[in-house]
Structure formats: C-alpha cells, structure tokens
Amino acid sequence: FVYVSSCNFKKATGVTLDVAAKPFEKLSEYNFFTGNVNELKPNERIIPYDLITPLFTDYAHKARFVYVPEGKIVEYDTTKVLNLPVGSCLIKNFYYPEDFRVKNGKRRIIETRLLVHREKAWEALDYVWNDEQTDAILENAGDVKKVSWIHYDGTKRETEYLIPNKNQCKGCHWNNGVAITPIGPKVRNLNHDFEYADTKENQLTHWAKAGILKSVPASENLPKLADWTDSVHYSVNERARAYLEMN
C-alpha cells in the first residue's frame, strides 16, 4: 500500500514489547513497523496474516500481524483459538482505501487494535491514528470518525466509524465472562494461501517455517472454515455459520 504524506521514520530496530511495562503512548514506540509507520512494513518477527472469514466492521479493511517472541512457539490445536504464548501480540489495523476498486491505492488508517498477552491475561489496547497519518495514540475512551470512500460499484459511501472504548472490547473478546481472549487466529480460519513479500504460501505452513507453530500436519489434513462471501464453493448454511462464528 502507498499513502503519500509526511511520516515519522522508524529505523529497523527490534520490537520493543515489554509485557511487564505500561503500554506505550504511541504505536510507533513498539517498533512493529519499519520505515514510514503508516506503510505498515513489518519488522523482524512480525508476520502478516489474514482470515478466511473475518469480522465485518462497517466495510473497513484490515491489515493483521502477529508477533511471537523469539524462543517461544505455538502448539498446533484445532479445537480452539491458537494459544499464543505470553509476550505475543496480535496487531489489527483498520483502514479505508480511498477507492475500493484500486489495489494498493491511497488509504486512511483509522485505528490499530492490539491484543497483548501479558503474564496473567490478554490486554486490549487501542491506538487512534492522527489526521496526518504519521502515528497512532493510545486511546481508552473511544471515538467516532466520519469516513468516506468510493465503493466497488463506483458509488461514494460514508459512515460514522465507531472506535470502541476499552470496556467495549469485552463485547467480542470476553470469553465466558472469565477473561479477554483472541477470536480470529484459529487453524481452520488461517488455512489458506497468503501473498507475502517474496512468496505465496499457506499461512500455517509459513508459520511453521518461521518457527512459531509446531506439529503442523500435511495441508490436505488441515480443517478449513467456509468463506462467507463464496457462494460457489460453500452452502448458505456453511457460510452463515462461518459468519456468525467470527462476528
């Protein structure tokens, strides 16, 4: 993606996530991304990924990344969300392309949500991007942003995008009233190809090669969630269940 603006520039230093420390005030301080922060170029050990059936959020697009600390690994498990170890972080950027029909065109990033696995529990953090698109600032109170874009059919659309406050994160991520937990990164929802910078590969295979996921069986033995937008290969029942599972 390309977004033309003046930007803060981050050197390619290592990720600076300390699960025992207070959250940073600025997203850039974590060093998740190198170069111009709003280009979302992943730093070392930051792996981009996407989901077969994702959360629907007022037509916003998402750029997702996962971080697993060096020396730690995720056990393969098809029964629930992958159990990312303490020190891990899920990074989800919500953005609107200026024109949905233009691949890799200009975009506006609205917020970046982090799920940080601290020693005792996961913590949800929300960083709201400034108008200049140079950085995002920690925000606990939530906000509403008016956004507009050109839709796939060429019409102009607009909406009031809701940025949740810290407590509202529990609306989706509160697991049986016990604790916050991730939702998306399940084996069956990751089991498809992703276009990385230098290759196109099954995400689970890629995670295994990167040393963050072990005991991955052959691809033909991996479960797969229905794509709720694919009416050719999946029934209405399969698509509806996939949509409800993720939303």
Side-chain angles (χ1 to χ4, degrees):
F1 295 96
V2 176
Y3 195 104
V4 180
S5 68
S6 60
C7 302
N8 288 340
F9 188 84
K10 296 297 293 181
K11 295 181 179 179
T13 53
V15 172
T16 54
L17 178 64
D18 182 354
V19 297
K22 291 177 59 178
F24 286 124
E25 287 300 311
K26 295 181 180 180
L27 179 67
S28 59
E29 294 180 271
Y30 291 98
N31 289 324
F32 291 142
F33 307 111
T34 64
N36 295 333
V37 180
N38 65 6
E39 293 179 2
L40 304 181
K41 294 180 179 178
N43 204 342
E44 186 178 357
R45 298 198 66 82
I46 301 293
I47 299 177
Y49 73 98
D50 64 10
L51 303 174
I52 296 173
T53 286
L55 171 76
F56 177 79
T57 317
D58 291 336
Y59 297 100
H61 292 209
K62 288 98 171 176
R64 296 176 175 84
F65 302 85
V66 61
Y67 168 71
V68 176
E70 189 171 1
K72 295 190 176 182
I73 196 166
V74 183
E75 295 286 344
Y76 177 84
D77 188 348
T78 62
T79 64
K80 56 185 178 181
V81 177
L82 288 173
N83 185 23
L84 301 176
V86 170
S88 299
C89 185
L90 292 168
I91 308 156
K92 184 162 61 171
N93 306 275
F94 293 73
Y95 68 92
Y96 284 85
E98 188 176 275
D99 189 332
F100 280 18
R101 301 168 299 177
V102 179
K103 186 177 181 180
N104 298 335
K106 291 183 179 181
R107 63 180 176 181
R108 177 188 174 190
I109 311 174
I110 306 298
E111 61 170 329
T112 297
R113 300 180 190 176
L114 306 182
L115 278 179
V116 179
H117 198 176
R118 302 198 182 277
E119 286 290 345
K120 294 184 178 180
W122 287 88
E123 182 182 16
L125 302 170
D126 204 344
Y127 289 80
V128 179
W129 283 77
N130 58 26
D131 292 338
E132 297 77 22
Q133 297 282 278
T134 57
D135 212 335
I137 308 300
L138 182 63
E139 177 60 72
N140 291 324
D143 201 352
V144 176
K145 298 282 187 180
K146 190 171 184 178
V147 294
S148 62
W149 69 94
I150 303 300
H151 204 58
Y152 297 109
D153 59 5
T155 61
K156 184 176 181 178
R157 304 274 186 99
E158 63 179 33
T159 189
E160 291 188 338
Y161 179 91
L162 174 66
I163 298 172
N165 64 47
K166 193 174 181 68
N167 287 329
Q168 286 176 310
C169 295
K170 296 177 181 178
C172 292
H173 290 279
W174 196 242
N175 182 22
N176 297 322
V178 177
I180 283 179
T181 185
I183 300 172
K186 301 174 182 177
V187 165
R188 61 181 177 273
N189 208 10
L190 292 166
N191 181 22
H192 72 142
D193 289 347
F194 185 90
E195 290 191 15
Y196 299 93
D198 54 355
T199 186
K200 184 177 182 179
E201 189 172 38
N202 181 282
Q203 293 186 119
L204 297 168
T205 301
H206 188 84
W207 286 27
K209 288 181 178 179
I212 69 169
L213 181 63
K214 74 175 185 178
S215 304
V216 178
S219 57
E220 61 269 19
N221 297 322
L222 297 172
K224 191 169 187 176
L225 189 69
D227 178 349
W228 79 276
T229 66
D230 185 352
S231 60
V232 175
H233 299 96
Y234 300 101
S235 67
V236 171
N237 180 59
E238 291 171 322
R239 292 160 59 207
R241 288 179 179 275
Y243 181 88
L244 290 171
E245 178 177 334
M246 298 316 303
N247 287 273

